[in-house]
């Protein structure tokens, strides 16, 4: 029996043998991701946005089969620069002919309060989280197309050695920081955000329109990091994930100090 590869996603993911080659099969795949691979990926690949090739797509049964990427990667050094070039190319896409459905990114006060209820942070730390949420609207302005889930586990190299990004069920629009924040390990620090902003901006073309300033990008990477806390806790709770306790314990250890620094970075008035 094929091993289940899904981690936090809702679909079942397995490595299978398909027409003489290894492949990845998703069952109960999201309609958004199926349409992405069928209609959007062919538009993006000539622009420098590399994704696994589509092998089969049956919308009626929600079955998706894509190319297996044999080489896992760590996003360091050359691989990180290639990933940032890939994301910069995506963020510079002006329009998509197929007009696909997109994931809706939001950060509500209700979701924040629900996450805080699970996290059980002290009152002061919780107030900083609420203030961050109140400052986050610009993260979700439809500035650019985004992958929506750029964490290290969603990259691999195909047989030709090309770096490809997979897991596109959160394909969306918004601020580039949403794609950059997951690529920084842990919660990160201002130094990490500055380094990520500098590397990313080196791949952007000033003539391409809404390129964020360095200061704006650094601030919004911090905001996106805070939003991801709420997203992760919400998903873990909804899916009753067995690892939720481990995640919550880690957040309780690191968030008080991280939020103390982040409120200054984001120019909050809570303190």
């Amino acid at each position: 029996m094929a091993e289940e590869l899904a981690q936090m996603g809702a679909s079942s993911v397995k490595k299978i043998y398909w027409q003489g080659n290894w492949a990845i099969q998703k069952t109960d795949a999201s309609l958004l991701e199926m349409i992405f691979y069928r209609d959007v990926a062919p538009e993006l690949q000539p622009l420098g946005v590399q994704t696994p090739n589509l092998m089969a797509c049956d919308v009626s049964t929600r079955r998706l089969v894509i190319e297996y990427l044999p080489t896992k990667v760590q996003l360091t050094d050359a691989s990180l620069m290639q990933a940032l070039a890939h994301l910069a190319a995506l963020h510079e896409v002006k329009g998509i002919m197929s007009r696909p459905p997109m994931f809706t990114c939001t950060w509500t006060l209700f979701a924040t309060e629900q996450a805080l209820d699970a996290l059980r942070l002290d009152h002061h730390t919780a107030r900083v989280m609420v203030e961050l949420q109140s400052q986050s609207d610009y993260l979700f302005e439809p500035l650019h197309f985004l992958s929506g889930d750029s964490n290290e586990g969603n990259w691999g190299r195909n047989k030709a050695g090309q770096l490809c990004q997979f897991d596109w069920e959160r394909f969306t629009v918004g601020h580039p920081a949403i794609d950059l924040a997951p690529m920084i390990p842990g919660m990160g620090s201002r130094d990490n955000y500055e380094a990520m902003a500098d590397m990313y901006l080196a791949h952007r073309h000033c003539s391409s329109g809404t390129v964020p300033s360095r200061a704006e990008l650094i601030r919004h990477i911090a905001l996106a990091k805070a939003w991801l806390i709420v997203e992760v806790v919400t998903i873990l709770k909804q899916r009753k994930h067995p690892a939720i306790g481990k995640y919550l314990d880690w957040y309780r250890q690191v968030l008080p100090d991280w939020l103390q620094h982040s409120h200054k970075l984001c120019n909050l008035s809570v303190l």
Side-chain angles (χ1 to χ4, degrees):
M1 183 178 293
E3 177 187 359
E4 178 59 60
L5 302 177
Q7 295 185 20
M8 290 180 63
S11 305
S12 173
V13 182
K14 294 183 178 180
K15 179 182 173 183
I16 64 168
Y17 205 60
W18 177 269
Q19 298 181 353
N21 293 286
W22 287 110
I24 294 296
Q25 174 183 267
K26 276 194 170 186
T27 53
D28 199 25
S30 73
L31 181 62
L32 187 157
E33 187 171 28
M34 299 186 81
I35 292 174
F36 175 87
Y37 278 108
R38 187 189 68 189
D39 300 340
V40 181
E43 290 189 55
L44 296 181
Q45 288 174 343
L47 303 177
V49 182
Q50 299 303 322
T51 63
N53 290 321
L54 177 65
M55 303 178 76
C57 176
D58 189 335
V59 173
S60 64
T61 62
R62 305 279 290 278
R63 185 187 192 212
L64 175 69
V65 182
I66 59 173
E67 175 187 14
Y68 170 66
L69 304 179
T71 307
K72 294 182 180 181
V73 298
Q74 292 184 314
L75 293 181
T76 57
D77 302 326
S79 291
L80 176 58
M81 297 304 287
Q82 290 171 1
L84 290 172
H86 160 110
L87 291 174
L90 173 62
H91 298 165
E92 291 185 354
V93 172
K94 300 296 187 185
I96 293 176
M97 295 282 291
S98 55
R99 297 185 180 275
M102 295 199 180
F103 183 80
T104 301
C105 292
T106 60
W107 184 3
T108 65
L109 178 59
F110 176 77
T112 305
E113 290 172 340
Q114 291 293 300
L116 289 171
D117 182 63
L119 287 164
R120 300 196 306 274
L121 302 174
D122 65 85
H123 177 68
H124 174 75
T125 303
R127 284 179 60 208
V128 177
M129 278 292 292
V130 171
E131 182 70 10
L132 287 167
Q133 183 275 327
S134 74
Q135 302 289 318
S136 66
D137 287 353
Y138 193 60
L139 267 180
F140 310 109
E141 288 292 312
L143 303 173
H144 303 279
F145 294 107
L146 307 176
S147 76
D149 194 359
S150 58
N151 76 77
E152 186 177 68
N154 289 340
W155 301 82
R157 293 191 184 278
N158 61 21
K159 288 182 179 179
Q162 286 181 309
L163 184 69
C164 298
Q165 186 178 4
F166 56 93
D167 201 353
W168 288 85
E169 61 188 21
R170 289 172 66 96
F171 181 58
T172 188
V173 290
H175 195 284
I178 290 174
D179 271 348
L180 301 181
M183 303 174 78
I184 297 171
M187 296 307 301
S189 66
R190 181 173 190 134
D191 288 346
N192 300 139
Y193 307 158
E194 290 176 347
M196 181 63 70
D198 289 340
M199 289 186 290
Y200 169 77
L201 290 171
H203 291 285
R204 292 297 306 270
H205 303 294
C206 294
S207 60
S208 64
T210 52
V211 180
S213 70
R214 182 176 187 269
E216 175 200 320
L217 190 55
I218 292 166
R219 180 176 187 270
H220 282 82
I221 289 173
L223 285 169
K225 276 290 190 183
W227 170 62
L228 287 171
I229 299 165
V230 176
E231 285 287 284
V232 168
V233 172
T234 299
I235 291 170
L236 291 173
K237 286 178 62 180
Q238 287 175 345
R239 297 177 183 166
K240 299 179 180 178
H241 198 286
I244 187 170
K246 181 177 73 172
Y247 279 85
L248 293 176
D249 287 344
W250 184 80
Y251 280 137
R252 289 172 189 140
Q253 291 175 16
V254 302
L255 288 185
D257 286 343
W258 182 80
L259 287 166
Q260 181 180 358
H261 295 290
S262 295
H263 89 275
K264 298 175 184 176
L265 178 57
C266 295
N267 301 314
L268 301 184
S269 60
V270 71
L271 294 183

